[in-house]
Amino acid sequence: MAQNDCAGSLQVCRLRVARLNADGSPDQGPDNMYVTDTLISLGATPQVVAGEDMSLVNGCGEPVVQHQDEDKITRLNLTMSLAKPDPDLVALMTGATLITDAGDSIGFQYPALNSSVMGPAVSIEAWSKAIVGGKVATDLPWWRWVYPFTEWRLADAPTLENAPLALALTGRALENTEWGNGPANDWAYASDRVLNVARDETANVPDASCGAVAVPAS
């Protein structure tokens, strides 16, 4: 891609979740990564602390000193909707306890009441289609959205009814200086901000599978 082609973003087709070490680096080893095509939506809203508005008035009630500090973003608040209540993915993201049968994951339990609300730290990456002139771009056909440090919890329990079930999660995102080039060693740019976005090749879009996989050694 020689220059910016002003591509739009449409749909979201893949999600990769990877467990992090205490220092924020990808946790290499078995069952620490999950790739799914069941993502319905992923939203992010800045958490903003308003700058203090300060003023000083004289004895006549007239302002003589006025200043307002800059607003500051402290984190991103996240929402996610998944098309399936996948036990392994839910456990990886929220710390929920797996229910197993003969070693196979068949369900999960909500975290115990009065326990820590947020699950373990994970990074998330999502891929959406890059659209130019009404079709998928020929060169670098994907937008890749990288959140190098997130924490999640289950949101409202799903409503069981005569309709497809969507599982809702809520979380938060922070900066991470130790994520590097990611769990698959395929991110070639800086990754130390709360959200990092770049165009990507189809070769970097991982295949979805049912079940957790290993984070390879870097």
Side-chain angles (χ1 to χ4, degrees):
M1 186 171 62
Q3 60 182 7
N4 181 10
D5 59 5
C6 297
S9 173
L10 179 67
Q11 302 175 328
V12 60
C13 300
R14 201 73 82 248
L15 174 72
R16 180 162 65 196
V17 180
R19 194 187 312 275
L20 301 177
N21 291 309
D23 66 354
S25 61
D27 187 359
Q28 300 168 6
D31 301 330
N32 283 345
M33 186 164 67
Y34 203 108
V35 180
T36 182
D37 58 5
T38 65
L39 178 64
I40 299 173
S41 64
L42 172 62
T45 303
Q47 179 72 41
V48 178
V49 175
E52 186 177 359
D53 190 358
M54 297 171 283
S55 62
L56 184 65
V57 298
N58 62 19
C60 198
E62 298 168 335
V64 292
V65 177
Q66 287 183 301
H67 175 75
Q68 182 169 0
D69 287 338
E70 297 288 339
D71 294 348
K72 293 181 173 61
I73 297 176
T74 58
R75 66 174 184 269
L76 294 180
N77 295 319
L78 305 176
T79 58
M80 182 182 292
S81 183
L82 298 170
K84 297 178 181 178
D86 188 310
D88 290 312
L89 181 56
V90 170
L92 177 61
M93 294 186 67
T94 70
T97 302
L98 283 172
I99 297 175
T100 61
D101 181 26
D104 296 325
S105 303
I106 62 169
F108 62 89
Q109 295 178 292
Y110 263 47
L113 298 180
N114 300 314
S115 64
S116 177
V117 173
M118 306 305 290
V122 295
S123 66
I124 60 171
E125 303 164 82
W127 283 263
S128 63
K129 296 176 183 176
I131 305 297
V132 177
K135 58 185 179 181
V136 176
T138 302
D139 194 18
L140 301 178
W142 299 91
W143 283 105
R144 185 171 173 181
W145 307 77
V146 173
Y147 295 85
F149 184 100
T150 68
E151 295 174 313
W152 295 87
R153 65 174 176 85
L154 291 161
D156 294 342
T159 299
L160 304 179
E161 57 183 336
N162 184 27
L165 183 152
L167 189 71
L169 296 93
T170 184
R172 58 193 177 200
L174 301 171
E175 293 179 346
N176 183 2
T177 61
E178 301 300 323
W179 192 75
N181 60 357
N185 306 309
D186 59 359
W187 176 261
Y189 316 105
S191 61
D192 57 336
R193 300 299 175 86
V194 66
L195 170 61
N196 311 271
V197 186
R199 293 286 289 280
D200 206 2
E201 302 174 356
T202 297
N204 288 336
V205 181
D207 294 330
S209 62
C210 187
V213 297
V215 174
S218 58

